[in-house]
Amino acid sequence: MINLTEKEKFIIEDLKAQEKLCIQKYAFYEEMAYDPELADLFAQIKESEEKHLNSLNEVLNGNVVDSDVNDYSGENYVASTTYHNSSIKEEKDHDSFLCTDAITMEKYVSGAYNFDLFQFSNSKLRKLLADIEVEEQNHAEMLYKYKKANMMAQ
């Protein structure tokens, strides 16, 4: 059981707000994506964001869940090519926009975790926040790999 300072509680609440926004955006992206594979990727990432939110709620309850910073989901993700030169350009551009917006969001949230984790004295909590940061980076990597496989990125 850990006791958080008021400052630490405030930071966790801020991170929770970021996770809630990510969940809402990924639910929206999932519905808006033309490509079913991309919709599935958004759903998978949304699930991960929900786990992050649950972990942060546990922290506010005084519990720090175990974490494993050795997450290779980004490195191991292999996107299949859905869009080809004959694909409908408007759909491809639309899905590319969703991916770019999501990558931007992931970069912001990852940066927030990177900065905030050093505000905590509990090493187990810092490890949890570092784990979530790595997972956020992996989300961005997976989205970038999708874009690259579908000729949406250089």
Side-chain angles (χ1 to χ4, degrees):
M1 186 81 149
I2 63 167
N3 292 316
L4 299 173
T5 66
E6 287 304 312
K7 179 181 178 181
E8 291 170 332
K9 288 177 188 175
F10 177 80
I11 292 169
I12 295 296
E13 288 292 348
D14 184 59
L15 292 171
K16 278 180 52 180
Q18 296 301 321
E19 293 296 346
K20 287 176 183 177
L21 181 60
C22 289
I23 292 165
Q24 291 172 327
K25 287 181 90 170
Y26 280 119
F28 176 76
Y29 296 154
E30 182 182 359
E31 289 181 24
M32 296 301 297
Y34 285 106
D35 178 12
E37 180 185 345
L38 181 57
D40 288 345
L41 178 57
F42 287 145
Q44 177 185 343
I45 295 172
K46 179 182 74 175
E47 239 177 70
S48 177
E49 302 293 3
E50 289 168 342
K51 289 178 184 173
H52 297 165
L53 181 60
N54 291 338
S55 294
L56 295 174
N57 282 325
E58 283 296 316
V59 168
L60 288 176
N61 290 329
N63 305 310
V64 180
V65 298
D66 289 330
S67 58
D68 177 16
V69 185
N70 298 317
D71 183 342
Y72 298 99
S73 60
E75 182 180 335
N76 295 334
Y77 177 73
V78 178
S80 62
T81 303
T82 301
Y83 290 105
H84 305 280
N85 289 337
S86 62
S87 298
I88 300 171
K89 182 177 177 1
E90 293 80 22
E91 291 181 6
K92 180 179 176 180
D93 289 348
H94 173 84
D95 282 357
S96 177
F97 173 82
L98 295 177
C99 288
T100 301
D101 190 50
I103 290 168
T104 301
M105 174 178 61
E106 292 293 351
K107 288 165 64 175
Y108 175 81
V109 173
S110 174
Y113 277 99
N114 183 52
F115 176 79
D116 288 341
L117 70 91
F118 293 106
Q119 306 296 316
F120 294 87
S121 60
N122 183 290
S123 60
K124 188 174 179 183
L125 179 52
R126 282 195 314 273
K127 184 176 179 182
L128 171 65
L129 297 177
D131 181 51
I132 294 173
E133 177 189 355
V134 167
E135 290 177 3
E136 300 294 358
Q137 292 170 3
N138 285 334
H139 298 162
E141 182 176 2
M142 294 162 74
L143 291 160
Y144 177 77
K145 284 181 173 182
Y146 173 88
K147 284 184 69 172
K148 192 159 176 94
N150 286 281
M151 299 168 283
M152 298 172 174
Q154 308 309 332

